[in-house]
Amino acid sequence: MVTRRSALESLATGAMGAALPAVPALAAQKPRPVIQATGHATGPEGERRADLGNGWYRNPIMPGDYPDPSILKDGDDYYMTHSSFEAAPGLIIWHSRDLVNWRPIGPALEKPLGTVFAVDIAKHNGRYYIYIPFMHAPWAKDLHSFANIYVIHADSMAGPWSDPVDLKIYGLIDPGHVVGEDGKRYLYLSGVNRVALADDGLSTIGPVEPAYDGWHYPDEWITEGYSLEGPKLFRRGEWFYLVSAVGGTSGPATSHMVIIARSKSAKGPWVNCPHNPIVRTHSDKEAWWSRGHATMVEGPKGTWYMVYHGYEKDYRSLGRQTLLEPMTWDADGWPRALGGDLSLAMPMPTGKAGTPGGFTRSDDFTRPAFGTRWSFYGAAPGELARAKVGGGVLTLEAKGTGPADCSPLTQTVGDHAYEISVSVDVDAGAQGGLLLFYDDRLFLGMGIDGQKMITWRGGRSSFWQEPAPKVGKLHLKIVNDRQIVTFYYSLDGRTWTRHGIRSEVSGYQANTVDDLSSLRPALYASGKGTVRFMDYRFRAQP
């Protein structure tokens, strides 16, 4: 019998792949432990990284709000993207050779059509496809229902990507692409439903039909709701496997889970795995909550992995982070998860340290970094024209009445404690500032308009009137120390005055406002005229 521990021991000693290097602190111990409890590695800005540099990694592989991962193995290369929701440009494409260290290639989606989530990457006959559900923006008057599924395509993952093509699938989400035993292409959808695709993958053939009723957990389990969603399909040997999620992506810590079924045809019928659910959070004492929306992929050394998202214990405000869990196959061809609650470090898929990925979040505004470092929230078409970058200055044309309706620039972070600062210079009639932004209903921070400081808390202007200087240019700083947030301001960027009020922000999360997002740094410019931002700095704290 293959147990989780014996399989991981084989993985660590190389029986399921190349031998892994000895970890110095553990090499003298017999038997050698499978996993170790060392802390996270850090990057140049103090940010946590998964690759520990010694042949081990520690989750998350993508700290911060990188939910609904879709991953494609293409030879020795791996590509991944995530739900980008209201961000524009959207759909950052990431590249890796080891499944742990990821580098951004760039955004695949320049044209906003609304909220983007739970996409699927596919490759067929040398061409790349991303199937995309859009939840429609208020200005998209000509669209047919609350959600449409579109597709974009390219000859390279680096693009250029086509404009979105409407597949005319209405009211369903979460596409999953598969090529059947007959060579025909199909798209699975929430529900779980299925529709046939044309050979070019750019239109549908025939009606949308029910395909799979899911695996049903006991009614006494505490979840958000059943929510059969996120179908992802692949072929291994004679079997097609259908991986999906149930339990709801937010709500209680024990909600989301991973289930699997299989069939000898891409059209079913589907037989549920006897081990379902193969991933589940059993208690809020565990390190990762609501783990689900998995894609299964073969790793660099032939070992298989699941890539999925989850909430970090006590840090729902960071959003759903990307996790990597090793798995194995039992004698009957069913998968078994090997990572436990993912609280400890595990062997690198390649058996060695990789080249660190990611990108720095600080910005000296000498060149644009939209779609990677920065993205607009709730952007309308042409939003990028509001921003000019160069010579050490981000000039942002003001619009709207405040953070809620001005499409602020946001960036994703994944650290428990960090400091951000920026210099803000406003025109008369404009207001600009520094925020921690969740969505257009929930944010906090500081703004100035040349006459006063505006304090934002709970998604609205606070009654608190901070006696800051009446100036048009001010240095602003926010410290988020494990969800205790403090504001500072300065005339010269050296001597700082602490704002008179602090905030506790663990409630800035999905269960508060029923919106799947994360609390993240943001710059905003509202009113009339322009706001200039200089010397944005990010630094994670230990």
Side-chain angles (χ1 to χ4, degrees):
M1 177 180 177
V2 178
T3 65
R4 179 175 69 86
R5 181 172 182 84
S6 65
L8 260 182
E9 285 171 345
S10 296
L11 176 64
T13 58
M16 298 173 67
L20 291 167
V23 179
L26 303 176
Q29 301 182 22
K30 301 293 183 181
R32 179 176 160 222
V34 173
I35 48 182
Q36 52 154 337
T38 53
H40 283 95
T42 56
E45 296 178 303
E47 76 281 11
R48 58 180 176 164
R49 287 185 167 173
D51 189 339
L52 301 179
N54 58 6
W56 298 75
Y57 78 94
R58 187 181 180 91
N59 279 297
I61 58 167
M62 297 280 285
D65 194 35
Y66 293 103
D68 304 319
S70 177
I71 188 168
L72 172 69
K73 176 178 170 59
D74 185 21
D76 294 333
D77 297 296
Y78 296 89
Y79 298 100
M80 182 165 61
T81 192
H82 306 80
S83 294
S84 55
F85 298 109
E86 287 80 11
L91 290 183
I92 300 177
I93 304 295
W94 300 84
H95 172 258
S96 177
R97 285 288 182 92
D98 62 13
L99 291 174
V100 173
N101 294 288
W102 294 88
R103 287 185 172 273
I105 296 175
L109 191 64
E110 297 287 345
K111 182 179 180 181
L113 287 177
T115 301
V116 175
F117 56 99
V119 308
D120 194 36
I121 308 177
K123 184 182 183 183
H124 187 65
N125 289 339
R127 175 166 286 190
Y128 299 92
Y129 300 82
I130 304 179
Y131 290 91
I132 309 170
F134 285 100
M135 197 79 75
H136 298 143
W139 43 261
K141 305 294 185 185
D142 58 332
L143 299 176
H144 296 83
S145 75
F146 86 99
N148 283 45
I149 293 182
Y150 285 67
V151 60
I152 59 177
H153 56 90
D155 293 328
S156 165
M157 288 300 287
W161 290 88
S162 71
D163 285 339
V165 177
D166 189 355
L167 292 177
K168 298 181 172 55
I169 301 171
Y170 307 124
L172 295 171
I173 58 174
D174 293 13
H177 177 272
V178 67
V179 178
E181 70 281 4
D182 54 4
K184 301 297 183 182
R185 303 173 69 176
Y186 300 91
L187 208 60
Y188 274 69
L189 306 155
S190 58
V192 167
N193 296 280
R194 181 186 64 242
V195 65
L197 293 174
D199 288 344
D200 65 3
L202 303 181
S203 62
T204 62
I205 300 172
V208 175
E209 301 174 319
Y212 170 61
D213 189 44
W215 174 85
H216 293 261
Y217 51 80
D219 187 62
E220 62 267 21
W221 286 13
I222 304 300
T223 69
E224 183 182 37
Y226 182 65
S227 302
L228 177 61
E229 58 191 356
K232 292 289 182 282
L233 296 98
F234 64 97
R235 190 174 190 176
R236 181 177 181 269
E238 62 181 341
W239 296 102
F240 288 88
Y241 291 86
L242 169 58
V243 185
S244 49
V246 291
T249 195
S250 190
T254 52
S255 293
H256 224 25
M257 61 192 84
V258 179
I259 64 171
I260 192 167
R262 73 183 182 188
S263 170
K264 291 191 176 179
S265 169
K267 294 182 286 187
W270 299 97
V271 176
N272 283 313
C273 175
H275 315 314
N276 279 334
I278 59 172
V279 173
R280 181 193 173 208
T281 301
H282 295 270
S283 162
D284 62 5
K285 304 297 189 296
E286 293 182 26
W288 292 95
W289 297 350
S290 290
R291 295 184 284 155
H293 203 100
T295 300
M296 293 183 178
V297 63
E298 186 178 2
K301 297 293 185 180
T303 301
W304 281 72
Y305 290 84
M306 283 182 283
V307 183
Y308 55 80
H309 65 221
Y311 286 106
E312 192 168 4
K313 182 182 186 298
D314 299 326
Y315 282 93
R316 279 197 175 106
S317 62
L318 288 176
R320 294 169 297 164
Q321 304 179 57
T322 303
L323 309 171
L324 180 69
E325 178 167 9
M327 50 175 278
T328 191
W329 299 92
D330 69 17
D332 295 322
W334 290 110
R336 293 279 197 169
L338 299 176
D341 70 353
L342 304 190
S343 61
L344 301 176
M346 287 174 281
M348 287 283 292
T350 56
K352 60 183 179 181
T355 302
F359 52 83
T360 58
R361 285 159 174 79
S362 298
D363 200 338
D364 59 8
F365 300 121
T366 56
R367 60 178 61 88
F370 301 114
T372 50
R373 183 179 290 132
W374 298 105
S375 59
F376 284 98
Y377 172 89
E383 202 76 48
L384 272 175
R386 292 178 53 215
K388 293 181 175 59
V389 174
V393 180
L394 163 66
T395 301
L396 197 55
E397 182 182 338
K399 79 168 193 179
T401 60
D405 60 359
C406 75
S407 295
L409 276 173
T410 72
Q411 66 172 214
T412 300
V413 297
D415 293 286
H416 297 166
Y418 56 87
E419 174 185 299
I420 55 174
S421 62
V422 72
S423 175
V424 183
D425 185 8
V426 299
D427 283 349
Q431 181 187 125
L434 183 64
L435 305 168
L436 294 181
F437 187 87
Y438 188 86
D439 67 3
D440 55 4
R441 293 176 290 162
L442 193 58
F443 48 84
L444 72 162
M446 298 167 285
I448 60 170
D449 62 7
Q451 299 300 313
K452 62 184 181 302
M453 173 173 282
I454 303 93
T455 300
W456 300 98
R457 297 179 80 207
R460 61 183 180 179
S461 177
S462 172
F463 67 89
W464 182 277
Q465 295 297 313
E466 177 70 15
K470 297 180 180 181
V471 294
K473 183 175 182 179
L474 201 60
H475 299 268
L476 303 177
K477 179 167 66 176
I478 296 177
V479 176
N480 183 349
D481 185 2
R482 294 160 183 82
Q483 303 188 126
I484 303 299
V485 171
T486 307
F487 303 153
Y488 298 86
Y489 54 92
S490 171
L491 286 169
D492 59 11
R494 295 185 297 273
T495 302
W496 294 90
T497 299
R498 182 173 65 81
H499 192 290
I501 195 166
R502 286 190 174 97
S503 301
E504 200 278 342
V505 296
S506 60
Y508 285 60
Q509 43 110 333
N511 288 336
T512 303
V513 289
D514 195 26
D515 190 6
L516 296 170
S517 188
S518 68
L519 190 63
R520 55 208 186 275
L523 308 174
Y524 84 97
S526 62
K528 302 293 184 182
T530 61
V531 178
R532 290 158 296 281
F533 298 91
M534 292 146 284
D535 194 30
Y536 175 81
R537 290 288 172 263
F538 168 90
R539 182 70 188 177
Q541 306 295 320

